[in-house]
Amino acid sequence: MSDEQPTDLTTGDDLPEQMRIRREKRARLLAEGGDPYPVELPRTHSLAEIRETYSDLPVDTATGVKVAVTGRVMFLRNTGKLCFATLRDGDGTELQAMLSLNNVGADPLAAWKSDVDLGDHVFVSGEVITSRRGELSILADEWRMAAKSLRPLPVAHKALSEETRIRQRYVDLIVRGQARDVVRNRAGVVRSLRDSFHRRGFIEVETPILQTMHGGATARPFVTHSNAMDVDLYLRIAPELFLKRCVVGGLEKVFEINRNFRNEGSDSSHSPEFAMLEYYEAYATYDTVAVTTRQLVQEAAEAVFGTQVVTLADGSEYDVSGDWTALTMYGSLSDALGEEVTPETSVEVLRKHAAARELEVDPKHGHGKLVEELWEHLVGDHLHAPTFVRDFPVETSPLTRQHRSVPGVAEKWDLYIRGFELATGYSELVDPVVERERLEDQARHGAAGDDEAMRLDEDFLRALEYGMPPTGGVGMGIDRLLMALTGLGIRETILFPLVRPE
RNA sequence: GGGCCGUUAGCUCAAUUGGUAGAGCUGCGGACUUUUAAUCCGUAGGUUCUGGGUUCGAGCCCCAGGCGGCCCA
């Protein structure tokens, strides 16, 4: 972690004053026979329970009810003979504690003033009252230290820098309610997804993250090594090939929510480690899984926010309700170009279109890549409302079935939300012979130096040869679903994103 | 990988043309029995990211590097 000098924690001579003083207070508590970190405290109520029970108390009321609570000290307002503190519970509920000379006595009040700092966890027992200003409070008979904080909290009224928020998420969670909300919302979204699948009769499975061969997507993997087996292993880039083995085995409605790893950099919508949902449904097609996918998103919005018109971080509203627009890639690109483009359109013509719009393209790009690049710039970047983009070039969709009636395109859609790709769905390719041809082609690319190319997975092909029913499949980024529903960047939706060591 | 911007007190940020590094909050000492980012008086706190260089003098200029952000590929 650090090149900080090793520090004597009892004196902390090298530390900033504020940390030194807190360490001294801890040491003093111990020296006086106290315990800055007691093992157990006789708490009777959570702060939320008290807030719920006494929500309608009039101003300046004494209930006569004695309770014992704990919380982190978020604000301190000490006067000579009466001290106020705002305590906060783990669920974010805040409640005021009042310590008056009359009730706690001179020594405990003096100890409170000298020992308690912002950020400490304290135990307070006393009577439930409301203050003269009407604030629901515990009027203390007794207080104890529950856990001494040795580091000062950052200023509560100024935003932490983005870097500190990410590197020290625990601090972010303490001081910023929205950071806690994101964690809860994410948990709610994941729970909603599981509920939605269970209602539809899907089985949740967990497939390997450590793999002897990576596949299911075009991406560079992380490599690791098994000492016991003395083989190199890959962290998975997608669960796809294992989930398809499940479908072959008769698990005809399966889903998995888990982590994928791609050996790439990060930006506002990419992370090397990201959460993925994939699901496969036998006898579904890319048409029917599009409907399911829309419902998954809508049900998640409803479950977490109680509405399908969600409010984003910038305050704007985003509507995910109703049916969503569907475009075809070639149709929408033709409209944008004002000129018909089809799977037969030559590479030269596509390059001319790119050049006419000052779009630089890789001269190695073939038809499929060119179409996708043109489409992204001319159409994709401008899509705001949820939109399914259908029927991709076959060439860039190696694991997808050819369209049943339109030549040259694959039965694949991408779901775009506010300009980024949220999910992708397919009518899966299940013909083992065609699949083998496609993978052998990928393997040739790999041999030619493309380290994102897929490997020839003989075991996967063997599974397909036993017969996989017609199947629809979908992959959706969980982090991106959170982004879609909240308007946050990916690193705000991931609790502890990967960052360079300090 | 390329370009631009940033990096200063515990936190958030200032610092004129290169001329004694400041503020708010936090902290510390004091006053205050109804505060809500309490108020009032006093006060402390710095390897200006690191290493070189230019200069009488560098937070500021130059070179190299670290970390971060944004844009591009």
Side-chain angles (χ1 to χ4, degrees), chain A residues 32-103:
Chain A
E32 290 167 350
D35 186 352
Y37 302 102
V39 65
E40 189 175 24
L41 293 149
R43 170 165 77 164
T44 61
H45 295 74
S46 71
L47 300 186
E49 284 166 349
I50 289 167
R51 279 226 169 272
E52 281 159 27
T53 309
Y54 302 98
S55 55
D56 297 319
L57 235 45
V59 168
D60 203 9
T61 305
T63 62
V65 177
K66 300 282 182 155
V67 298
V69 301
T70 57
R72 189 190 285 273
V73 177
M74 297 311 294
F75 297 109
L76 278 172
R77 299 172 293 279
N78 291 345
T79 69
K81 301 185 181 67
L82 179 64
C83 298
F84 301 87
T86 304
L87 307 187
R88 194 167 70 205
D89 229 343
D91 66 0
T93 307
E94 296 188 343
L95 191 67
Q96 177 167 276
M98 294 169 62
L99 294 94
S100 79
L101 180 63
N102 294 342
N103 287 269

Side-chain angles (χ1 to χ4, degrees), chain A residues 162 165-166 169 172 176 178-179 182-183 186 266-271 312-314 418 420 478-497:
Chain A
E162 189 176 341
R165 291 214 308 264
I166 290 170
R169 186 69 86 190
D172 188 30
R176 198 166 59 95
Q178 201 203 18
V182 172
V183 179
R186 181 179 178 119
S266 50
D267 59 32
S268 56
S269 64
H270 293 80
S271 170
L312 303 181
D314 66 1
R418 297 202 336 276
F420 64 87
I478 301 286
D479 315 291
R480 289 185 169 200
L481 177 54
L482 261 293
M483 291 164 63
L485 295 177
T486 63
L488 297 168
I490 197 165
R491 272 184 295 188
E492 298 296 338
T493 70
I494 298 177
L495 196 44
F496 298 105

